[in-house]
Amino acid sequence: MVRVKITIVGAQHLPNKDSWLAGVSDPFCRVTMVNKPEPEIRTKTIENCLSPTWNHTAVMEWDGKTDLHFLVMDQDMVKDEFLGECYLRSSDVKKGFNGTMSLTPGKKRKVKKEPVLIIKVVTESKTPCGSCAIL
């Protein structure tokens, strides 16, 4: 396993899934390896915001070969709703990524501006014995 440091900076232009009575979407972002529910990284929920800033950094144990899945959801009392998703290919995880990714907003969903997720992914280098450095 390889340690990967993931920073979920924020998102922009998210669709509003809430009714006019409830305000606007309350987004959070979840990161997993594709087809593997664990380990998971999750941001806090930002209430009533379509362009949230999370600045959430966490380290994930990554298998070195599986793509990463970023899922943005609207937190609701009854059931969370899909806002968008994107995938970071394993080759991009290996070399590192710092930038903006387009979010797929879901079927039959018209958007004025393309929703995006801003992330930074860095693979942490391993030392020969895993926790010490050669002097």
Side-chain angles (χ1 to χ4, degrees):
M1 297 296 270
V2 178
R3 292 172 54 91
V4 178
K5 183 177 176 181
I6 299 171
T7 301
I8 305 162
V9 177
Q12 296 175 341
H13 315 299
L14 296 175
N16 184 17
K17 292 286 190 153
D18 288 346
S19 69
W20 64 273
L21 289 173
V24 296
S25 295
D26 308 309
F28 66 90
C29 183
R30 199 166 55 210
V31 185
T32 59
M33 288 184 275
V34 172
N35 296 322
K36 297 179 183 181
E38 298 291 332
E40 174 184 278
I41 294 173
R42 187 191 188 283
T43 67
K44 64 182 179 180
T45 299
I46 306 289
E47 293 183 6
N48 292 314
C49 188
L50 300 180
S51 292
T53 299
W54 291 292
N55 285 322
H56 181 87
T57 300
V59 175
M60 172 187 275
E61 291 292 327
W62 177 59
D63 65 7
K65 58 186 176 187
T66 306
D67 295 348
L68 296 181
H69 180 221
F70 293 79
L71 178 66
V72 181
M73 300 290 287
D74 172 25
Q75 184 172 324
D76 285 330
M77 291 179 71
V78 178
K79 182 181 178 188
D80 295 341
E81 295 179 90
F82 178 86
L83 293 176
E85 67 183 343
C86 61
Y87 296 87
L88 187 64
R89 296 174 57 139
S90 61
S91 58
D92 291 324
V93 176
K94 286 177 186 174
K95 65 184 178 186
F97 181 86
N98 186 8
T100 301
M101 296 189 66
S102 296
L103 288 169
T104 304
K107 297 177 181 177
K108 299 180 183 177
R109 192 79 173 143
K110 290 184 180 181
V111 292
K112 292 179 182 178
K113 289 188 175 183
E114 180 180 47
V116 295
L117 185 67
I118 304 146
I119 60 171
K120 181 177 181 180
V121 178
V122 178
T123 303
E124 295 185 350
S125 59
K126 285 191 169 185
T127 54
C129 69
S131 62
C132 61
I134 298 175
L135 299 177

